[in-house]
PDB file of all heavy atoms in Angstrom:
ATOM      1  N   ASP A1183     110.525 105.652  90.650  1.00 88.00           N
ATOM      2  CA  ASP A1183     111.254 105.714  89.364  1.00 88.00           C
ATOM      3  C   ASP A1183     110.925 104.486  88.427  1.00 88.00           C
ATOM      4  O   ASP A1183     110.824 104.634  87.174  1.00 88.00           O
ATOM      5  CB  ASP A1183     112.693 105.753  89.458  1.00 88.00           C
ATOM      6  CG  ASP A1183     113.256 107.134  90.071  1.00 88.00           C
ATOM      7  OD1 ASP A1183     112.431 108.086  89.999  1.00 88.00           O
ATOM      8  OD2 ASP A1183     114.339 107.198  90.521  1.00 88.00           O
ATOM      9  N   GLN A1184     110.665 103.351  89.071  1.00 89.00           N
ATOM     10  CA  GLN A1184     110.257 102.120  88.278  1.00 89.00           C
ATOM     11  C   GLN A1184     108.874 102.350  87.783  1.00 89.00           C
ATOM     12  O   GLN A1184     108.545 101.918  86.687  1.00 89.00           O
ATOM     13  CB  GLN A1184     110.312 100.900  89.166  1.00 89.00           C
ATOM     14  CG  GLN A1184     111.654 100.377  89.471  1.00 89.00           C
ATOM     15  CD  GLN A1184     111.632  99.168  90.309  1.00 89.00           C
ATOM     16  OE1 GLN A1184     110.908  99.033  91.233  1.00 89.00           O
ATOM     17  NE2 GLN A1184     112.559  98.258  90.051  1.00 89.00           N
ATOM     18  N   LEU A1185     107.953 103.012  88.508  1.00 88.00           N
ATOM     19  CA  LEU A1185     106.618 103.195  88.095  1.00 88.00           C
ATOM     20  C   LEU A1185     106.454 104.276  87.047  1.00 88.00           C
ATOM     21  O   LEU A1185     105.451 104.298  86.312  1.00 88.00           O
ATOM     22  CB  LEU A1185     105.651 103.337  89.329  1.00 88.00           C
ATOM     23  CG  LEU A1185     105.416 102.163  90.195  1.00 88.00           C
ATOM     24  CD1 LEU A1185     104.678 102.578  91.453  1.00 88.00           C
ATOM     25  CD2 LEU A1185     104.660 101.124  89.457  1.00 88.00           C
ATOM     26  N   LYS A1186     107.247 105.228  87.159  1.00 88.00           N
ATOM     27  CA  LYS A1186     107.042 106.466  86.337  1.00 88.00           C
ATOM     28  C   LYS A1186     106.895 106.236  84.816  1.00 88.00           C
ATOM     29  O   LYS A1186     105.935 106.816  84.266  1.00 88.00           O
ATOM     30  CB  LYS A1186     108.195 107.432  86.565  1.00 88.00           C
ATOM     31  CG  LYS A1186     107.800 108.850  86.253  1.00 88.00           C
ATOM     32  CD  LYS A1186     108.722 109.921  86.869  1.00 88.00           C
ATOM     33  CE  LYS A1186     108.113 111.330  86.756  1.00 88.00           C
ATOM     34  NZ  LYS A1186     108.868 112.242  87.441  1.00 88.00           N
ATOM     35  N   PRO A1187     107.694 105.419  84.161  1.00 91.00           N
ATOM     36  CA  PRO A1187     107.444 105.191  82.761  1.00 91.00           C
ATOM     37  C   PRO A1187     106.017 104.735  82.470  1.00 91.00           C
ATOM     38  O   PRO A1187     105.354 105.130  81.422  1.00 91.00           O
ATOM     39  CB  PRO A1187     108.538 104.190  82.337  1.00 91.00           C
ATOM     40  CG  PRO A1187     109.564 104.316  83.326  1.00 91.00           C
ATOM     41  CD  PRO A1187     108.905 104.619  84.599  1.00 91.00           C
ATOM     42  N   ASP A1188     105.588 103.715  83.159  1.00 90.00           N
ATOM     43  CA  ASP A1188     104.149 103.239  82.936  1.00 90.00           C
ATOM     44  C   ASP A1188     103.131 104.295  83.182  1.00 90.00           C
ATOM     45  O   ASP A1188     102.140 104.418  82.453  1.00 90.00           O
ATOM     46  CB  ASP A1188     103.923 102.064  83.893  1.00 90.00           C
ATOM     47  CG  ASP A1188     104.534 100.792  83.416  1.00 90.00           C
ATOM     48  OD1 ASP A1188     105.025 100.717  82.317  1.00 90.00           O
ATOM     49  OD2 ASP A1188     104.580  99.747  84.163  1.00 90.00           O
ATOM     50  N   ALA A1189     103.436 105.151  84.174  1.00 86.00           N
ATOM     51  CA  ALA A1189     102.438 106.261  84.440  1.00 86.00           C
ATOM     52  C   ALA A1189     102.482 107.287  83.314  1.00 86.00           C
ATOM     53  O   ALA A1189     101.488 107.671  82.750  1.00 86.00           O
ATOM     54  CB  ALA A1189     102.838 106.973  85.746  1.00 86.00           C
ATOM     55  N   GLN A1190     103.694 107.667  82.902  1.00 86.00           N
ATOM     56  CA  GLN A1190     103.808 108.641  81.734  1.00 86.00           C
ATOM     57  C   GLN A1190     103.247 108.090  80.475  1.00 86.00           C
ATOM     58  O   GLN A1190     102.742 108.859  79.706  1.00 86.00           O
ATOM     59  CB  GLN A1190     105.307 109.063  81.607  1.00 86.00           C
ATOM     60  CG  GLN A1190     105.802 109.838  82.752  1.00 86.00           C
ATOM     61  CD  GLN A1190     107.318 110.044  82.720  1.00 86.00           C
ATOM     62  OE1 GLN A1190     108.022 109.260  82.179  1.00 86.00           O
ATOM     63  NE2 GLN A1190     107.691 111.232  83.285  1.00 86.00           N
ATOM     64  N   GLU A1191     103.322 106.809  80.194  1.00 89.00           N
ATOM     65  CA  GLU A1191     102.790 106.182  79.036  1.00 89.00           C
ATOM     66  C   GLU A1191     101.231 105.900  79.133  1.00 89.00           C
ATOM     67  O   GLU A1191     100.618 105.417  78.162  1.00 89.00           O
ATOM     68  CB  GLU A1191     103.583 104.912  78.624  1.00 89.00           C
ATOM     69  CG  GLU A1191     104.966 105.262  78.281  1.00 89.00           C
ATOM     70  CD  GLU A1191     105.853 103.997  78.175  1.00 89.00           C
ATOM     71  OE1 GLU A1191     105.289 102.875  78.013  1.00 89.00           O
ATOM     72  OE2 GLU A1191     107.039 104.103  78.158  1.00 89.00           O
TER      73      GLU A1191
END
Side-chain angles (χ1 to χ4, degrees):
D1183 288 345
Q1184 285 179 322
L1185 288 173
K1186 199 164 192 170
D1188 284 348
Q1190 291 171 330
E1191 294 170 18

